[in-house]
Amino acid sequence: MPDTSPSMHLAVALDGAGWHPAAWREPTARPAELFTAGYWADLVAEAERGRLDLVTIEDSLGLQSPHPTQPPDTRTDQVRGRLDAVLVAARVAPLTSHIGLVPSVVVTHTEPFHIAKAIATLDYVSGGRAGVQVRVSARPDEAAHVGRRESPDPRNAAAVGELFDEAADYVEVVRRLWDSWEDDAEIRDVATGRFVDRDRLHHIDFTGRWFSVKGPSITPRPPQGQPLVAALAHGGPPHRLIGRSADLGFVTPADPAQARAVVAGIRAEQATAGRAGQPVHVLADLVVFLDATGARARARRARLDELAGGPWTSDAAVFAGTPTELADLLQEWQEAGLTGFRLRPATLPYDLEQVTRGLVPELSRRGAFRREYAAGTLRGLFGLPRPANRYATA
């Protein structure tokens, strides 16, 4: 399969009213609609109009928190509560045709058999455009919601690191379950009365430190064979998870030099895992405030900071400026070896529309981004072939 992907990949991360905690108070925000299907359908449709590769949909097992490893605070002036990301993706999938749909899933407290089935179903519903962003949780409040294990002390780096090794095994189980049905296992032969060839369904018989899963799945092999697996990483064990298990890595460098080091680290983890040479795409995350002038973008950020009670910072770099200035920055950063970028709109839908109607046309004019979709699956958008089934007989 030829790589028909553009020179730069673009994704957007959707979360509530936007990534800034005061985004819901913007004049263009739609806070009364955050828990409606139409709101999410509109956002994803706008992203598809911009010909973006994919959208990710944030999720967690606890209320939003100012820090991802800490329980939520008692503030009532910020968005709290969210819909299930997998179900949102399944709802909007039939309303779209090209864009990839990548919901977040907390793998620390969910079973791989369940998630393998859910993402395979999303791949069927979307016609081959599904992926999953695996998330690790060290938050004690999320562990308490499930009640089956205690959360490690976030200060214990080794214990937290083990959660990422567990996540790697989780992904391995999910991938084996996706392969547990061969592509031609369903016969559907009315004359002989055979719907399925039982010999083409396989027990995965996975036994490891954290999981023991027999299989096979109850859902046939997804249209893509293997939907894309993504993970967000800030360093160390998360980079190991990307190198060992993922197709897409979302990273948070502060500048091109750091981006170059991050990419090199992930490539080294790939080599250690025996995946050297395999395509693992690395996209840098950026929170974006975009406007017609840089002054307007910075003023909007300052106004939202004031509403939030002080300067807001993120785990990712924050950019405030024009779409043209952002295009300059992205092309400069891409030289560090990045595949592309996942943009986090500070406010929704305003900054998303600035991406699709301002940034994308500028990048397309420069020949740095696609002018039309050239593939029908998410794997195809990233130039990835449909993988062979590991259990298929010769």
Side-chain angles (χ1 to χ4, degrees), residues 192-242:
T192 63
R194 295 181 70 207
F195 185 87
V196 66
D197 183 346
R198 191 62 183 79
D199 291 336
R200 297 186 184 275
L201 273 63
H202 302 276
H203 298 300
I204 70 168
D205 291 327
F206 183 94
T207 301
R209 178 179 172 186
W210 294 283
F211 304 105
S212 178
V213 179
K214 186 176 183 61
S217 175
I218 64 169
T219 306
R221 194 173 193 231
Q224 293 183 99
Q226 293 276 326
L228 265 62
V229 175
L232 170 65
H234 300 106
H239 286 170
R240 185 167 67 244
L241 173 62
I242 292 175

Side-chain angles (χ1 to χ4, degrees), residues 52-287:
L52 303 184
D53 291 89
L54 61 89
V55 296
T56 60
I57 303 170
E58 292 300 300
D59 206 350
S60 65
L61 298 181
L63 293 176
Q64 289 90 330
S65 170
H67 191 280
T69 63
Q70 296 176 358
D73 53 32
T74 58
R75 295 184 68 156
T76 59
D77 63 338
Q78 298 176 3
V79 171
R80 296 291 184 264
R82 53 166 42 108
L83 301 180
D84 182 275
V86 175
L87 295 181
V88 169
R91 176 63 181 85
V92 303
L95 307 178
T96 58
S97 303
H98 301 286
I99 196 166
L101 302 168
V102 183
S104 295
V105 172
V106 178
V107 300
T108 310
H109 301 297
T110 54
E111 295 299 326
F113 189 93
H114 171 73
I115 295 304
K117 180 166 66 75
I119 301 302
T121 300
L122 178 60
D123 209 39
Y124 276 103
V125 172
S126 65
R129 294 179 286 118
V132 60
Q133 179 181 337
V134 296
R135 285 194 56 204
V136 165
S137 172
R139 283 175 50 170
D141 65 310
E142 294 193 357
H145 287 330
V146 179
R148 291 188 299 187
R149 65 194 296 180
E150 292 185 0
S151 179
D153 186 337
R155 296 168 296 183
N156 186 336
V160 173
E162 284 193 348
L163 294 179
F164 288 92
D165 291 335
E166 177 188 41
D169 272 11
Y170 189 108
V171 172
E172 179 63 21
V173 173
V174 167
R175 289 192 184 279
R176 293 189 189 194
L177 286 168
W178 286 336
D179 277 351
S180 63
W181 288 56
E182 294 185 34
D183 291 320
D184 53 356
E186 296 168 88
I187 303 171
R188 308 186 189 95
D189 189 333
V190 175
T192 63
R194 295 181 70 207
F195 185 87
V196 66
D197 183 346
R198 191 62 183 79
D199 291 336
R200 297 186 184 275
L201 273 63
H202 302 276
H203 298 300
I204 70 168
D205 291 327
F206 183 94
T207 301
R209 178 179 172 186
W210 294 283
F211 304 105
S212 178
V213 179
K214 186 176 183 61
S217 175
I218 64 169
T219 306
R221 194 173 193 231
Q224 293 183 99
Q226 293 276 326
L228 265 62
V229 175
L232 170 65
H234 300 106
H239 286 170
R240 185 167 67 244
L241 173 62
I242 292 175
R244 175 180 170 185
S245 304
D247 304 296
L248 303 177
F250 304 128
V251 298
T252 56
D255 52 47
Q258 194 175 69
R260 190 172 291 106
V262 167
V263 172
I266 290 175
R267 300 301 177 221
E269 292 291 357
Q270 277 187 256
T272 300
R275 301 180 73 204
Q278 293 185 22
V280 174
H281 294 274
V282 182
L283 281 67
D285 275 19
L286 285 169
V287 180

Side-chain angles (χ1 to χ4, degrees), residues 20-21 75 78 289 301-314 318:
H20 193 285
R75 295 184 68 156
Q78 298 176 3
F289 295 82
R301 179 184 180 184
R303 177 167 50 80
L304 289 171
D305 281 351
E306 183 177 2
L307 289 172
W312 172 74
T313 59
S314 171
V318 180

